[in-house]
């Protein structure tokens, strides 16, 4: 007989039919005559109840079926006599695939802390919460490809190992095959990479944007969706050392088009979750965050506020608040400022634009005022920055000037500058942090709990 997944079994139950299900035991209860097993196979948050007449089975087999064990069950699908489920399987045969030692299985009881589950990340998929989170994570990845494919964007694979530092920002993970105990040096004391694998210094990428621009200036609209790496030592609930980023890049888009796309895109994703991940979201709404569903609906139904950085600074200065970090024109906004704007002042997502050029990257389009650039950050409640983007500087001279002003190595950017020499075009793009999106959609509060195996300072287990 062919195995059926619990999700399809529950979606159109054929009462009276023989079925074969396979999964992991969540709970077993009952008495010496009859047992009730809650079986979960990961396809849905819902378990299927297995009813076992003890007299028809080997006593030792039944003893071995404890929480965490993996079994295959054949039986008849019947209407349930008990409360809590409509249907159940009356078991005719059970095969035990894998026992689970009752003494040492870590997930015995309910209500483990998130920290405990993080230490047991190899097994945490088997809890209701993490099952829901990772099914939603999948649905969001699928919806992202769907959205862009429908709009005629091309999925571009940008390199993970790069020879360039996207923003001149530093904080990258080096990639080398050289012997760390015996590094060759140049006369001036710097490391000699000539004999390294690539013959030059290389790193793990912090962003696929620069390569993405090359694609957009030929294919029109592209997006990347891949892992990015930052070696910054920020131990916060919103930063990972390895995270996934979605970076669309569009020819002929100005900043307004860019904002329109960003807003439409995240609203599409949230709507997709509301329509396709209902049961998982309802579970998270009841167990993790009671305001989750209302917040998701609110974001889908309301327009984002759009104001400039300069206006935001005035609002913050007029707020009468005492800030931990000082507010002033030219200073970067901190999480406390972003969250004040979103959660207290406007009470909805905010897009901030036109930041001072000193606090933004070299490639952003310079405004005529000589002071600001066409940057945009999308700020979300509970999260802060979820998207960062800009219109790009498409003029060769202005771009080169900025590279020089910032003392970046002109020769490292020869291929990037070439695009501004040969058929340059206005274009824009942004980066959405995938895990920050999942944080928002699931209502989870720590970014370590929305990626299967988090990489953070001093932590690379599993
Ligand atoms: P932040 O100020 O929050 O550190 P950033 O300005 O350095 O972020 P960008 O370089 O603009 O981030 O990256 C684009 C997006 O990638 C951000 O809006 C955010 O959603 C996400 N992101 C950036 N850094 C991280 C990180 N360390 N872990 C997870 N997501 C991140
Ligand atoms: Mn940013």
């Amino acid at each position: 007989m062919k195995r059926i997944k619990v999700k399809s079994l529950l979606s159109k139950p054929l009462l009276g039919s023989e079925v074969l299900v396979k999964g992991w035991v969540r709970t077993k209860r009952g008495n010496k005559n009859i047992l009730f097993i809650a079986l979960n196979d990961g396809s849905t948050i819902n378990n299927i109840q297995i009813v076992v007449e003890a007299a028809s089975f080997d006593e030792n087999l039944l003893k071995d079926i404890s929480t965490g064990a993996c079994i295959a069950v054949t039986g008849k699908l019947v209407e349930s006599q008990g409360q809590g489920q409509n249907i159940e399987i009356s078991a005719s045969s059970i095969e035990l695939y894998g026992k689970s030692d009752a003494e040492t299985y870590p997930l015995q009881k309910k209500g483990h802390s998130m920290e405990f589950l993080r230490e047991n990340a190899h097994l945490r998929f088997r809890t209701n919460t993490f099952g829901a989170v990772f099914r939603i994570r999948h649905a969001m990845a699928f919806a992202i490809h769907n959205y862009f494919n429908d709009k005629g964007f091309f999925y571009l694979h940008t390199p993970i190992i790069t020879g360039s530092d996207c923003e001149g920002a530093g904080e990258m993970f080096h990639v080398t095959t050289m012997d760390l105990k015996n590094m060759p040096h140049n006369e001036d004391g710097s490391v000699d990479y000539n004999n390294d694998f690539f013959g030059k210094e290389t790193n793990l990428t912090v962003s696929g944007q620069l390569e993405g621009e090359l694609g957009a200036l030929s294919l029109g609209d592209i997006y990347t969706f891949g892992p990015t790496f930052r070696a910054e030592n920020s131990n916060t609930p919103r930063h990972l050392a390895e995270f996934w980023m979605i970076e669309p890049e569009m020819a002929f888009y100005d900043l307004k088009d860019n904002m329109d796309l960003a807003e439409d895109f995240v609203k599409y994703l949230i709507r997709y979750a509301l329509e396709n991940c209902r049961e998982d979201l309802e579970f998270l709404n009841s167990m993790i965050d009671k305001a989750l569903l209302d917040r998701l609906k609110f974001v889908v139904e309301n327009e984002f506020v759009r104001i400039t950085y300069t206006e935001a600074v005035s609002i913050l200065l007029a707020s009468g608040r005492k800030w931990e970090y000082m507010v002033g024109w030219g200073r970067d906004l901190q999480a406390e400022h972003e969250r004040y704007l979103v959660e207290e002042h406007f009470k909805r997502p905010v897009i901030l634009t036109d930041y001072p050029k000193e606090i933004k990257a070299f490639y952003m389009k310079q405004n005529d005022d000589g002071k600001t650039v066409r940057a945009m950050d999308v700020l979300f409640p509970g999260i802060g920055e979820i998207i960062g983007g800009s219109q790009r500087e498409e003029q060769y001279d202005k771009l080169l000037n900025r590279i020089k002003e910032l003392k970046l190595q002109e020769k490292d950017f020869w291929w990037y500058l070439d695009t501004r020499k040969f058929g340059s075009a206005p274009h824009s793009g942004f980066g959405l942090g995938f895990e920050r999106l999942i944080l928002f959609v699931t209502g989870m509060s720590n970014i370590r709990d929305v990626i299967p195996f988090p990489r953070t300072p001093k932590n690379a287990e599993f």
Side-chain angles (χ1 to χ4, degrees), residues 295 298-299 304-305 307 312 315-316 323 335-352 377-386 440:
R295 193 161 58 240
F298 181 84
V299 167
F304 297 2
V305 172
I307 57 165
I315 292 170
L316 293 168
W323 305 105
E336 57 172 336
H337 311 130
E338 298 176 343
R339 295 185 62 166
Y340 172 82
L341 292 169
V342 172
E343 290 161 25
E344 295 181 52
H345 189 81
F346 288 111
K347 298 193 163 58
R348 64 174 73 187
V350 175
I351 309 183
L352 291 188
D377 276 7
V378 181
L379 312 179
F380 259 43
I383 309 279
E385 181 186 330
I386 193 165
F440 185 75

Side-chain angles (χ1 to χ4, degrees), residues 2 50 144 162 186 225 233 254 268 295 297 310 318 324 363 412 418 420:
K2 198 167 172 295
I50 315 290
I144 286 162
T162 65
N186 297 311
F225 186 175
N233 195 10
D254 64 14
Y268 170 90
R295 193 161 58 240
K297 280 181 216 146
T310 304
E324 193 184 335
Y363 49 71
D412 290 346
D418 258 11
R420 274 62 170 175

Side-chain angles (χ1 to χ4, degrees), residues 14 77 79 111 132 135-137 141 171 174 182 217 229 238 248 262 278 291 335 362 379 386 429 441:
L14 285 171
L77 200 59
E79 222 169 295
R135 278 187 296 271
I136 292 171
R137 187 180 163 107
E171 325 247 41
H174 289 305
N182 191 16
L217 291 173
F229 305 86
R238 302 177 307 122
R278 199 71 209 188
F362 75 93
L379 312 179
I386 193 165
V441 172

Side-chain angles (χ1 to χ4, degrees), residues 162-283:
T162 65
S164 73
D165 170 351
C166 176
E167 320 209 343
E171 325 247 41
M172 305 177 79
F173 289 100
H174 289 305
V175 175
T176 181
T177 54
M178 292 196 292
D179 178 3
L180 295 182
K181 285 185 249 78
N182 191 16
M183 299 283 274
H185 289 91
N186 297 311
E187 273 171 17
D188 66 359
S190 61
V191 174
D192 177 6
Y193 287 99
N194 277 308
N195 291 315
D196 200 356
F197 190 92
F198 296 106
K200 66 187 285 198
E201 186 178 349
T202 51
N203 298 291
L204 292 179
T205 185
V206 295
S207 159
Q209 180 202 316
L210 300 190
E211 292 92 347
E213 285 184 50
L214 311 183
L217 291 173
S218 162
L219 294 164
D221 298 325
I222 64 93
Y223 69 105
T224 72
F225 186 175
T228 42
F229 305 86
R230 304 217 175 154
E232 48 200 8
N233 195 10
S234 23
N235 254 308
T236 80
R238 302 177 307 122
H239 288 90
L240 291 163
E242 175 180 305
F243 64 100
W244 288 65
M245 187 146 60
I246 300 97
E247 295 181 276
E249 190 71 35
M250 299 74 62
F252 317 120
Y253 271 50
D254 64 14
L255 190 63
K256 161 121 188 351
D257 302 325
N258 205 22
M259 286 191 277
D260 291 345
L261 183 76
E263 181 166 344
D264 185 61
F265 177 47
V266 286
K267 283 181 170 171
Y268 170 90
L269 296 176
I270 295 167
R271 212 180 303 118
Y272 186 95
L274 285 168
E275 285 166 11
N276 295 277
C277 307
R278 199 71 209 188
E279 289 174 334
D280 287 327
L281 284 179
E282 273 165 10
F283 173 82

Side-chain angles (χ1 to χ4, degrees), residues 51-64:
V51 183
V52 184
E53 303 274 358
S56 328
F57 290 86
D58 174 9
E59 196 181 328
N60 289 322
L61 170 76
L62 297 186
K63 221 178 275 166
D64 280 343

Side-chain angles (χ1 to χ4, degrees), residues 391-403:
Q391 183 169 344
R392 319 305 189 190
E393 182 55 75
E394 84 279 15
Q395 294 180 44
Y396 180 84
D397 294 337
K398 285 195 166 172
L399 184 62
L400 184 61
N401 263 340
R402 199 72 191 119
I403 287 177

